Amino acid sequence: MRVDVIGAGIGGLSAALSLLSAGFDVHVHERAAALSETGAGIQISPNASRVLHGLGLAGALAGPAVRPLAFHQRRWQDGRTLQRAPLGEPIEARFGFPYYHLHRADLLAVLAAAIPAERIHLGRRLTGITEERDRVRARFADGSVTESEVLVGADGIHSRVRAELFGAEDARFTGCVAYRGLVPADRVSDLGIEVTTQVWLGPGRHFVHYFVSGQRMLNFVAVIERDAWTHESWTDRGDPADVLAAYRGWHPQVREIVEAADETYIWALFDRAPLARWSRGRVTLLGDACHAMLPFMAQGAAQAVEDGATLAGCLAAGRADPAGALLRYQDLRRERTARVQAMSAANKTRFHLPDGPAQRDRDAQLAAGSTGWSFDAMAWLYEHRA
């Protein structure tokens, strides 16, 4: 069975690898002329590293991946610890697989290297799809046409496949923008930063940082509430000076990390309401194309990796009825991804509480370990076998 995957991001490539491992004839079509990811970090929790290890990627991940020791939430002004939860060896012992920090480009390169080069087609911008009784025809801007038994839209939050299936619909601006940057680790060595995920919580904003690329780089994300987004570009170069202005009065460590950056990129954070349907006939969606979410659970990529594994399993079990297999895939994934979407959105409010009674109550809950970040509370997420 031939499967065409539209989009060669982390979701598309991991799905392609899962499908190849299940014996399908897979081809990936990417609109860009080269595989690339703008500099940013990514977190891969055990529910996704279980899939990646199962695909034989443990050795390739060992070099670039960083295994953080803990998840550390801190107060914006004085750096006081609000909560510290173990990761590292304890999380691997509990769930069987590691928690990783990676540069997105490093993960993309690992995935791409595992797929035969002739199966990845660059410079292919989808212009339309036509469904027939037993196949799907995809048309591209370069004039090429492909035919497959199944087509998967892994083409992101602005998915053309989604628009073809269910009509065009704008994504929702969530009221947040994110400045992302990378700093060579030696520039901030004097700060003695631990190998942890550090999340600084403050009024109307938060700040996250962790090491990537074998601890050679420190990745940071500064998330700031904003009323509107008027830029036409999906990503723009940001100015570190704007970040410093937004974090005036914050702990010196936060400000020194930003000051060490040569440049930042600014992302507007969008999401979508959960879809009632992901699939129609022999066409389905995957990752941000069907469940775009805020990054406040660090689960966007992990859920896309899970999607690909579940999709491959459903198609392998339902080769005689591909359309039925896609409906089963959709039904297996919708409730879980919607739950992660909702929790990610709720964290926006929790992370950004203004100083006052609600903030003090949140901090007391964090100190008591009653906010849902214990291993037992996260077992539904991390133990999942996609």
Side-chain angles (χ1 to χ4, degrees):
M1 184 189 297
R2 173 167 169 144
V3 181
D4 279 336
V5 177
I6 309 299
I10 290 167
L13 290 183
S14 62
L17 197 52
S18 287
L19 289 160
L20 280 169
S21 297
F24 293 96
D25 176 18
V26 183
H27 291 266
V28 183
H29 307 272
E30 167 59 42
R31 64 182 297 167
L35 292 180
S36 64
E37 280 277 7
T38 304
I42 192 170
Q43 300 185 50
I44 296 294
S45 47
N47 47 306
S49 63
R50 170 182 283 107
V51 175
L52 299 177
H53 282 214
L55 293 170
L57 302 180
L61 291 169
V66 175
R67 301 189 183 199
L69 300 176
F71 176 74
H72 189 188
Q73 291 181 297
R74 306 178 69 177
R75 179 167 164 76
W76 68 280
Q77 197 172 33
D78 56 14
R80 175 167 51 88
T81 293
L82 302 177
Q83 184 184 53
R84 185 182 173 95
L87 295 174
E89 291 183 2
I91 200 169
E92 188 168 355
R94 171 66 186 271
F95 299 111
F97 294 88
Y99 196 109
Y100 286 138
H101 289 163
L102 286 149
H103 191 302
R104 285 178 174 269
D106 291 337
L107 178 54
L108 199 72
V110 166
L111 293 168
I115 299 171
E118 66 272 13
R119 294 185 176 274
I120 300 177
H121 309 277
L122 303 176
R124 288 268 182 93
R125 180 171 63 85
L126 183 73
T127 58
I129 58 176
T130 305
E131 297 176 71
E132 298 179 357
R133 187 178 64 85
D134 60 352
R135 63 191 55 251
V136 183
R137 182 176 290 111
R139 302 181 300 279
F140 300 92
D142 63 1
S144 60
V145 178
T146 65
E147 289 189 351
S148 59
E149 281 82 7
V150 170
L151 184 139
V152 181
D155 49 345
I157 190 170
H158 299 301
S159 169
R160 177 59 187 264
V161 178
R162 175 192 171 113
E164 290 279 320
L165 288 181
F166 305 121
E169 179 186 349
D170 289 339
R172 304 181 301 194
F173 177 56
T174 62
C176 288
V177 298
Y179 287 87
R180 301 177 184 265
L182 287 167
V183 176
D186 57 8
R187 292 189 187 176
V188 290
S189 59
D190 60 311
L191 298 178
I193 298 172
E194 287 186 302
V195 183
T196 58
T197 304
Q198 293 196 30
V199 184
W200 302 72
L201 308 184
R205 64 209 63 206
H206 71 282
F207 190 89
V208 182
H209 62 81
Y210 51 84
F211 289 101
V212 297
S213 299
Q215 295 182 219
R216 296 187 302 277
M217 304 293 290
L218 183 71
N219 172 80
F220 72 81
V221 187
V223 179
I224 302 167
E225 292 185 8
R226 181 177 289 183
D227 292 335
W229 179 258
T230 57
H231 296 273
E232 292 183 4
S233 174
W234 179 236
T235 63
D236 287 321
R237 284 187 182 274
D239 188 338
D242 292 338
V243 186
L244 286 171
Y247 287 82
R248 184 176 293 113
W250 280 55
H251 190 275
Q253 178 171 306
V254 170
R255 296 181 57 81
E256 288 185 41
I257 290 171
V258 178
E259 288 171 346
D262 293 324
E263 62 183 9
T264 61
Y265 285 86
I266 183 171
W267 265 259
L269 298 183
F270 288 82
D271 69 1
R272 291 186 183 276
L275 279 176
R277 296 173 60 199
W278 295 7
S279 304
R280 190 184 72 189
R282 291 171 175 259
V283 182
T284 195
L285 301 171
L286 181 147
D288 282 353
C290 51
H291 52 67
M293 60 186 69
L294 282 166
F296 304 158
M297 286 278 291
Q299 280 293 308
Q303 291 304 304
V305 170
E306 284 189 14
D307 286 347
T310 301
L311 174 64
C314 289
L315 282 173
R319 291 174 188 266
D321 179 17
L326 296 186
L327 289 177
R328 180 167 185 248
Y329 153 71
Q330 159 193 292
D331 292 343
L332 284 170
R333 295 296 300 157
R334 277 185 309 174
E335 183 177 343
R336 178 172 169 81
T337 56
R339 182 179 180 183
V340 178
Q341 282 180 289
M343 292 181 71
S344 299
N347 275 344
K348 173 192 169 184
T349 301
R350 263 194 348 111
F351 287 1
H352 294 178
L353 289 173
D355 285 351
Q359 163 263 321
R360 289 192 289 273
D361 182 58
R362 177 204 65 195
D363 293 354
Q365 292 179 35
L366 286 169
S370 59
T371 61
W373 281 101
S374 69
F375 280 0
D376 287 344
M378 297 302 286
W380 71 273
L381 185 60
Y382 293 161
E383 285 180 350
H384 186 71
R385 295 179 178 272

